[in-house]
Amino acid sequence: MSGKVAQRMHINLASPFILEMWAIIFLVEFVKGSLLVALLPVYMESNLGLSVTVVGFSFAMQYLGDNLFRSPSGWVMERIGYRWTMTGSLLLILVAVGIIIYAQDAVWLSIACLILGIGTSPLWPCTMTGITELAGSTKSGSSGAAMGAVEMASLAGTGIGPITVNFLMDHGGQSYRAVFLVLMGCAAVVAAVALLLPSRIGNHAPHAIVRGEEAGEAGQVSLRRRMKPLESFQQTLHQVRTSLKVSRWLFPALFLQAFAIGLMTPVVTLFARTELHVTPNQFSLLLIAGGGITVLALIPAGRLVDRIGTTVFLNIGFLLAAASLTFFSQVRWLPLAFCAVALVGISYALILPAWNAFLAKQVPKGERGTVWGLFLTLQGSGMVAGPVLSGKLWDSVGHSTPFLLSAFVMVLLFGLHLLIVHRTKRKTGTS
């Protein structure tokens, strides 16, 4: 037991890379959360007179851009490094917000959302690859706390962004254009922070220790970088095919995990306004009740994941999410709605660090950036399909339907996770 502990590399949460990515994730999600949760659903429906189906389609374009470019951005990051991959892409967020300011129809708003998605596409491949490299070994199980830390940054940005926007609109007397300009300023800051990122991790930056076999892998990566792009890409595909050994049930699980979230994203604000009849300030309190609990619990949950593993957290989290989403879809009394979103927040605090640590164990040491890009592309495809279906269900079936379907998906994830764990144990011969 002591030998296993001695071999484990624990990630320093105060290391430069983690702090820089924490700031970048927070600011990016601040901008995205402000746009997707608070501004665009209301702005597109009330000011531009667009249907909820169109709103869902525009959101899907954002997730499509993010999703399509995750694998390529992971591959590019392996070749040119973290700094320039992130800086170049994040500048596109400025372009997207600029287009939104002047857009007056669904076409230009959809184009802006697509560009926004492309701009954010390298964020999670770079983050997950960096954390996996910092952990030293994907089998060590020591990445849970770091996964919790970056998820905390993500949820904090997603929650604080809409709260700030609602405050500015409700108390500051700000116009939509003024708030969009504030978001452009945030986008400029995040691009500047990306310039502080290291080009490489491992033997190229003082962030981690590179041991014998990993040094050999670093040499292979360096060789691939000197190849012609086509040769390098072909060798990358070959290595991914030969080294990636995961259960086939992992792939639908990746899709469904994000699909469950995508079903709720375009309609949660509209549900709060039309069914719960909340004011902007009350909606901000709802976000705090759900997101705040999640943020506070993420790092402790991540540390417990490192100690006792991912299985218990995922099993409880999926079932609790299914129950709490069903509860939320049926309540119409505000105090009960607060209880429901608090339970949803607890369930996601259990799921997020455990799910990412679970995926990290499936990533082979070679071509980590590309494999993480592949995983996140499959996962992101659920965020493309979810909003489109959600808008149609809202318009044609009922306002509670997207949340009920999301709860059903959580039950499916519970079953798929049990199946994956059972088959993995049977293959490895562990009890």
Side-chain angles (χ1 to χ4, degrees), residues 34 38 158-168 283-285 287-288:
S34 299
T158 302
I160 293 173
I163 291 169
T164 303
V165 165
N166 284 333
F167 180 83
L168 290 174
F283 182 64
S284 295
L285 290 175
L287 290 175
I288 292 171

Side-chain angles (χ1 to χ4, degrees), residues 39-50 54-55 58-59 109:
L39 284 174
L40 288 183
V42 179
Y43 177 71
M44 292 173 71
E45 186 188 32
S46 302
N47 286 46
L48 302 182
L50 302 174
V54 173
V55 175
S58 298
F59 280 30
L109 282 167

Side-chain angles (χ1 to χ4, degrees), residues 17 20-21 24 72-90 122-123 125-127 129-130 133 194-202 204-205 221-222 224-225 367 369:
F17 180 83
E20 289 151 7
M21 290 307 302
I24 290 170
S73 65
W75 185 82
V76 169
M77 183 272 295
E78 294 275 4
R79 272 84 197 154
I80 69 173
Y82 295 91
R83 182 185 303 128
W84 299 116
T85 302
M86 290 296 298
T87 303
S89 62
L90 292 176
L123 183 64
C126 287
T127 302
T129 302
E133 290 183 352
L195 289 170
L196 301 176
L197 287 171
S199 180
R200 309 285 179 202
I201 290 181
H204 297 282
V221 171
S222 178
R224 285 195 296 273
R225 287 176 188 137
E367 288 293 345

Side-chain angles (χ1 to χ4, degrees), residues 232-249:
S232 177
F233 182 68
Q234 289 173 339
Q235 182 165 338
T236 297
L237 289 179
H238 174 73
Q239 180 162 351
V240 169
R241 282 197 300 267
T242 56
S243 62
L244 185 59
K245 300 183 185 342
V246 298
S247 168
R248 66 178 180 271
W249 295 108

